[in-house]
Amino acid sequence: MAPPPPPRQLLLHLLLFLSLLRAARMMGSVAAASEGDRALLTLLQRVQSEALRALGPHDFDPKFYVDLPLVPGADRAAAEAALSSVGTREEMEAYVARYFDPAGSDLLAADPPDFQAEPRGFLPRVGAGEARAWALEVHALWKDLARRVAPAVAARPDRHTLLPLPGRVVVPGSRFREVYYWDSYWVVRGLLVSKMYDTAKDIVLNLVYLVEEYGFVLNGARSYYTNRSQPPLLSSMVLELYTATGDLDLLRRTFPSLLKEHSFWVSELHNVAIMDNDGCVHNLSRYQAMWNKPRPESATIDEELASKLNSTAAKEKLYHQIASTAETGWDFSSRWMRNPTDMTTLVTTFIIPVDLNTFIFKMERDIAVFAELIGEKATAEVFSQASKARHTAIETILWNSEMEQWLDYWLPIDGNQGVYKWEPKSQNRNIFASNFVPLWLNAHNSGSVPFLDEAKSVGVMRSLHTSGLVYPAGIATSVSKTGQQWDFPNGWAPLQHLIVEGLLNSGSTEAKKFAEDIATSWVRTNYTAYKSTGAMHEKYDVEACGKSGGGGEYKSQTGFGWSNGVLLSFLEEFGWSQDKEIVCPS
């Protein structure tokens, strides 16, 4: 008879059992929701398709049409019937005006009550007048991006794709008229710099509300996003807010939802087991949307792509991969494709991503810390052990000592093997900024053993130096120029921030200098672009200081929530002296 497992293993077995139980319940509730009233969304997708036919592809944004709320008093059945007689551009424009309110009109402007034009203690290390004046303008953008969901959304949900939320929201900007999940982490970071603690708390509680309603945080607060999530950073938002305010009641209020979200990410849907060369089995997570149809917000784009395929089964597989790639937040990138020039070769669900497992590791460590703070000692032990197991898995399966980077791991696509056997050739040796995201854990030790020691951090930093990702205006997302927006030459604020924070807290003087150099370049490109366009941008071209990014399936957007948050965070961390030039170097 085999001896009973030791207490630590028992705790991990219990955690896995509870996670699977919660996940089963969650999947049932998601399925029930998907079987509910989808009539409006079905109509709006028809409108989207007919609008493309009537208006043509030039400047056509399919998302606009699925964001339209029905006009109060308008009959959906009558709108469906009338659509069949729409043919010309003029008829389509008249049809939309008759039956629908403008996209975004069900979100109302809402001045945040905790906004002050210049908060006490705002950016004390920014001494340069030009830099400070600009920072105050970016700070003021929170007012422009603040919204509240109109009461009509909760009263008549069948007339809106927008979902009701209990608190004020901050949207990213432009076509992104609703709350988004991972964007919100950097919005919260920026709001904390702006001393807007109540607004930051509202954002966190809105995401908690989504967990309570759906079992996980949705990609965004729309009915068409209920099939997928986004990079999981809710525990990180809670930690940042608790660190700034000491609000222990917030930890108690959010704790059950954090456990539920963790269950989602370690459930059978996302979990992958891999046996290493010593026979040890490790559990890591992958992205996997609960969807195999065109994304409603991009249905015309997805259908055109799938038209290259011959069978219904092949199209459904592609739609599943597209939605799963949207869950990554990196939509789209050569990172997820077997052939970087062909979107139909997406294999996202067969990839174990470095950054996703970094975020889940941090979630597990955060939950352990929160459990200690609120007196849940047994739960703290369970999650402490879970985080250690994931740490070991990341280092065993994803770390590449030759390259001194963490690499995504590609699973075979010829069927589920149950427990996969680790193969060194399955590590993706292509260079992406995500290969360096675990550096971020340097900034978040939570009082426990550091994820990285100083020597390893220095090695990773030197690998980043020679990676081909570092450019005059920031860190590129990849080294491949494919036309996809999460590839070269685009740089994105979240990736700059994750890597800079990790370098800054690595313990090395050289790494701290490197971190400040990257942040300085990023601030300058943001500033120069702002001065020439009057806007903060969603992404930037790292080859040319002051140039916004491009590529992808929609126009580059302005606003912009996470760019504002990262900019303010960098200015708070590094300051800006009076003698330091803020414009791009000539």
Side-chain angles (χ1 to χ4, degrees):
M1 179 183 294
R8 287 184 176 179
Q9 287 181 294
L10 281 172
L11 288 169
L12 291 172
H13 292 327
L14 177 61
L15 172 63
L16 181 59
F17 171 75
L18 291 175
S19 297
L20 292 172
L21 182 62
R22 290 192 193 105
R25 292 172 178 166
M26 175 199 70
M27 297 307 169
S29 67
V30 170
S34 67
E35 293 165 4
D37 185 8
R38 293 180 49 84
L40 175 63
L41 191 53
T42 300
L43 168 62
L44 293 176
Q45 282 188 247
R46 282 190 59 207
V47 174
Q48 179 193 91
S49 181
E50 291 299 316
L52 177 60
R53 182 183 57 80
L55 305 178
H58 182 66
D59 287 341
F60 181 82
D61 185 355
K63 186 179 185 300
F64 170 84
Y65 296 94
V66 293
D67 290 356
L68 295 170
L70 271 173
V71 168
D75 181 73
R76 178 177 48 76
E80 288 176 350
L83 183 59
S84 60
S85 62
V86 172
T88 66
R89 170 182 290 271
E90 292 73 18
E91 288 170 343
M92 175 55 68
E93 290 171 349
Y95 169 84
V96 170
R98 177 179 178 183
Y99 288 102
F100 301 100
D101 280 330
S105 61
D106 42 7
L107 272 168
L108 309 178
D111 279 348
D114 54 352
F115 175 84
Q116 295 180 336
E118 185 163 3
R120 183 188 299 272
F122 180 71
L123 299 180
R125 299 175 59 205
V126 177
E130 192 174 1
R132 187 167 192 83
W134 171 52
L136 287 168
E137 290 183 36
V138 174
H139 160 72
L141 292 175
W142 299 132
K143 291 177 65 178
D144 296 338
L145 299 173
R147 305 281 191 277
R148 62 183 176 86
V149 178
V153 174
R156 290 297 305 271
D158 58 317
R159 307 179 77 83
H160 305 262
T161 60
L162 188 67
L163 298 176
L165 292 172
R168 287 164 290 146
V169 306
V170 174
V171 300
S174 298
R175 77 194 291 265
F176 301 111
R177 307 171 182 92
E178 54 284 308
V179 166
Y180 282 81
Y181 183 7
W182 79 314
D183 297 62
S184 293
Y185 173 72
W186 287 279
V187 169
V188 165
R189 290 294 299 262
L191 289 170
L192 295 179
V193 174
S194 293
K195 316 301 180 186
M196 296 173 65
Y197 306 119
D198 291 341
T199 300
K201 184 175 180 179
D202 272 358
I203 290 172
V204 168
L205 294 180
N206 284 331
L207 302 183
V208 166
Y209 168 81
L210 293 175
V211 176
E212 292 168 350
E213 288 293 307
Y214 298 97
F216 59 98
V217 184
L218 309 185
N219 182 149
R222 291 274 177 187
S223 61
Y224 52 74
Y225 287 142
T226 56
N227 54 62
R228 64 182 190 257
S229 186
Q230 260 193 340
L233 288 162
L234 180 56
S235 73
S236 295
M237 296 182 225
V238 173
L239 178 61
E240 295 294 340
L241 196 51
Y242 172 74
T243 301
T245 65
D247 187 349
L248 200 59
D249 287 339
L250 177 70
L251 298 189
R252 297 189 182 97
R253 168 72 180 82
T254 59
F255 192 71
S257 296
L258 295 178
L259 296 179
K260 186 180 290 188
E261 185 188 32
H262 181 264
S263 297
F264 173 75
W265 285 107
V266 301
S267 68
E268 187 176 357
L269 181 70
H270 296 107
N271 188 72
V272 180
I274 300 184
M275 180 183 294
D276 66 23
N277 290 336
D278 295 323
C280 296
V281 176
H282 303 275
N283 290 285
L284 290 164
S285 298
R286 59 178 160 184
Y287 291 106
Q288 183 144 235
M290 297 168 283
W291 196 247
N292 64 353
K293 303 177 183 66
R295 293 167 296 157
E297 76 279 12
S298 302
T300 53
I301 296 172
D302 292 355
E303 288 164 355
E304 181 180 3
L305 179 64
S307 68
K308 301 175 183 178
L309 305 176
N310 295 324
S311 71
T312 299
K315 290 179 180 181
E316 288 181 347
K317 287 180 180 178
L318 175 61
Y319 293 144
H320 179 56
Q321 295 303 324
I322 292 172
S324 299
T325 310
E327 188 171 59
T328 73
W330 285 47
D331 43 344
F332 291 94
S333 170
S334 60
R335 183 181 175 195
W336 314 115
M337 303 175 201
R338 283 178 294 168
N339 177 351
T341 66
D342 185 356
M343 277 271 289
T344 66
T345 67
L346 285 167
V347 287
T348 307
T349 63
F350 295 94
I351 297 171
I352 300 176
V354 169
D355 42 3
L356 173 61
N357 285 281
T358 299
F359 298 144
I360 297 175
F361 167 79
K362 185 172 181 297
M363 179 199 304
E364 289 165 343
R365 200 159 61 177
D366 290 344
I367 291 174
V369 171
F370 299 158
E372 284 283 353
L373 288 167
I374 64 175
E376 298 278 354
K377 302 294 185 183
T379 305
E381 174 63 14
V382 167
F383 278 88
S384 176
Q385 295 305 316
S387 69
K388 290 175 183 176
R390 191 170 298 270
H391 181 178
T392 300
I394 291 171
E395 293 300 281
T396 303
I397 306 300
L398 307 180
W399 172 249
N400 185 292
S401 56
E402 177 191 346
M403 294 177 64
E404 294 190 291
Q405 300 173 24
W406 295 267
L407 306 178
D408 293 340
Y409 188 87
W410 285 48
L411 303 169
I413 62 173
D414 54 353
N416 191 336
Q417 300 179 4
V419 176
Y420 294 88
K421 180 76 169 65
W422 186 79
E423 299 281 353
K425 66 182 180 181
S426 294
Q427 288 186 331
N428 183 1
R429 297 174 69 93
N430 292 325
I431 305 293
F432 300 96
S434 50
N435 296 7
F436 300 92
V437 164
L439 278 172
W440 184 54
L441 297 167
N442 282 333
H444 301 280
N445 291 331
S446 302
S448 60
V449 177
F451 184 84
L452 300 168
D453 60 31
E454 184 175 338
K456 189 166 187 174
S457 294
V458 168
V460 175
M461 175 202 66
R462 290 174 181 163
S463 179
L464 176 60
H465 257 302
T466 60
S467 66
L469 293 172
V470 183
Y471 275 79
I475 298 171
T477 309
S478 79
V479 295
S480 301
K481 192 167 188 176
T482 64
Q484 300 296 339
Q485 64 171 352
W486 287 85
D487 273 320
F488 185 84
N490 286 341
W492 294 77
L495 297 174
Q496 317 299 314
H497 190 249
L498 291 166
I499 293 172
V500 164
E501 273 208 335
L503 290 170
L504 184 65
N505 291 277
S506 68
S508 157
T509 301
E510 184 184 357
K512 291 178 182 179
K513 175 64 167 58
F514 189 21
E516 185 166 5
D517 289 346
I518 296 167
T520 296
S521 297
W522 189 253
V523 170
R524 284 176 173 152
T525 201
N526 280 232
Y527 176 82
T528 304
Y530 184 90
K531 286 300 178 181
S532 64
T533 65
M536 294 291 289
H537 295 265
E538 177 190 26
K539 54 188 179 281
Y540 294 85
D541 182 335
V542 299
E543 282 191 296
C545 188
K547 183 179 178 182
S548 63
E553 64 181 24
Y554 58 83
K555 285 185 174 182
S556 184
Q557 302 296 295
T558 59
F560 195 86
W562 62 20
S563 297
N564 306 348
V566 170
L567 180 276
L568 293 174
S569 295
F570 279 169
L571 289 177
E572 182 174 59
E573 179 62 50
F574 297 103
W576 204 273
S577 61
Q578 292 186 4
D579 59 350
K580 189 174 182 179
E581 191 64 62
I582 196 167
V583 298
C584 290
S586 55

